[in-house]
Amino acid sequence: AEVRAALGLPGPLTPEAAHLLTSKDAMKAVLLGAGIDTARWTVARDRAELDLGGLNYPVVAKPVGGTGSLGVVFARDRGRLEAALDASFAHAGPAGVLVEEFIEGTELSIDCMVTGGAVHVLLARERHKTWTPDGLEATCHGTVAPADLPGAVRAAMEAQARAIARAFGVTDGPLLIQAIRDPGDRLVVLEVAGRIGGGPGASRVVELSTGFGYVAASIDQQLGRPVRVTRHDDDGVYGAANIYAGEGVFHEIRGMDAACRDGLISEYYVYRTPGERIGPRISGRSRVTAFAIRGRDRADLKARMQAVMDRVEITDPEGRSILRRDIGLHLSL
């Protein structure tokens, strides 16, 4: 954004907006100032500076400038937090670590497109997570869309999205909102980003579910071209699924081409290179492949996910399976 501004090039975000949307501390301050519901938080540049100031456990710690869930840890008490903080500070850099109260509920990814100041909520996706055995970290193994939300929550989501765009000065471009719907139907905003979400969840599922060319429109906005949001919603249920490998050396994926031929999925994406070592920790780095999948309803989606998992295999160079069948939408739907 700074380079664009210096060179007089078009682009949807000003340097100021880009900073607010990437620094979690600044982001939370904007949300609070705009009256948008967000979890209480504090920030520390090192362990000695950390003062929770009356925050209630459980809490989540995350690097102020981090992305991709790196260094994000969960703690139910002070002892657990102290034991986990090294992981957050290791990824934090000089900006430090943000610690916020954990909100119980359904986590949502809300995909929006802003055009000429008008905010279009394209899709709300439920995030499904897998927790590490110690209960300290979680990774998103898939999303399901559209999220099943009552009308009042949808109306609140639309109003919240408009308020967020105004607060951050976003008049054009994609807008990703991460929120929690708590048991009382309160929407609590966790984070906001001026980009399309990662993986097939945001890009392909939004396009398949709404018929709107999300990626192409975002590129047009980067080039200063006008964008018009049109949509023709599909009545199916979509999943964006990640498949994981356990510890070992990745060699080959089998069965995904057959899943495409049989119409279970239309395409898939490979994230790892043959010969790459997969570590023991469940994280984005142990995701080997991902795909979007459609069902008539949630029961059909679950059956199709199970059919994919029944035929896919991930092996090491000796032909041994390293596929993690204990993680995925086939279990959490």
Side-chain angles (χ1 to χ4, degrees), residues 40 42 51-57 59 101:
R40 296 195 303 156
T42 188
D51 178 6
L52 296 189
L55 295 187
N56 295 316
Y57 285 96
V59 296
E101 292 181 345

Side-chain angles (χ1 to χ4, degrees), residues 175-333:
L175 190 64
L176 175 65
I177 302 169
Q178 304 278 13
I180 294 284
R181 174 194 173 194
D182 77 3
D185 280 345
R186 180 176 63 125
L187 277 180
V188 181
V189 175
L190 302 179
E191 294 185 15
V192 184
R195 59 175 176 83
I196 293 176
S203 55
R204 287 300 290 150
V205 166
V206 167
E207 294 182 346
L208 292 168
S209 182
T210 68
F212 175 65
Y214 201 14
V215 174
S218 298
I219 292 171
D220 282 341
Q221 287 181 321
Q222 294 287 341
L223 299 175
R225 299 169 180 164
V227 168
R228 181 168 172 260
V229 177
T230 59
R231 58 191 299 165
H232 49 275
D233 292 331
D234 179 39
D235 60 359
V237 177
Y238 282 89
N242 298 313
I243 295 182
Y244 294 77
E247 186 173 11
V249 176
F250 167 60
H251 176 66
E252 184 181 27
I253 301 173
R254 298 198 298 263
M256 295 300 285
D257 290 330
C260 289
R261 288 195 302 270
D262 293 346
L264 286 171
I265 61 175
S266 59
E267 59 198 34
Y268 65 98
Y269 318 92
V270 179
Y271 294 148
R272 304 272 76 89
T273 302
E276 191 171 348
R277 174 163 287 281
I278 309 294
R281 179 171 165 265
I282 302 169
S283 70
R285 300 183 189 278
S286 54
R287 295 172 188 166
V288 174
T289 184
F291 55 92
I293 184 169
R294 180 188 184 276
R296 295 184 303 274
D297 51 33
R298 292 195 175 219
D300 185 48
L301 182 65
K302 182 179 179 68
R304 287 173 171 269
M305 270 299 312
Q306 186 61 60
V308 173
M309 294 301 294
D310 286 344
R311 68 187 60 195
V312 70
E313 187 57 272
I314 299 173
T315 61
D316 67 9
E318 285 71 45
R320 294 183 295 245
S321 175
I322 56 172
L323 173 62
R324 290 292 301 266
R325 297 187 187 274
D326 59 330
I327 303 171
L329 285 178
H330 63 298
L331 300 175
S332 63
L333 270 165

Side-chain angles (χ1 to χ4, degrees), residues 16-39:
E16 294 76 18
H19 168 70
L20 295 174
L21 288 165
T22 51
S23 168
K24 292 180 176 62
D25 189 26
M27 179 191 304
K28 298 275 278 187
V30 171
L31 292 172
L32 184 66
I36 296 163
D37 207 350
T38 189

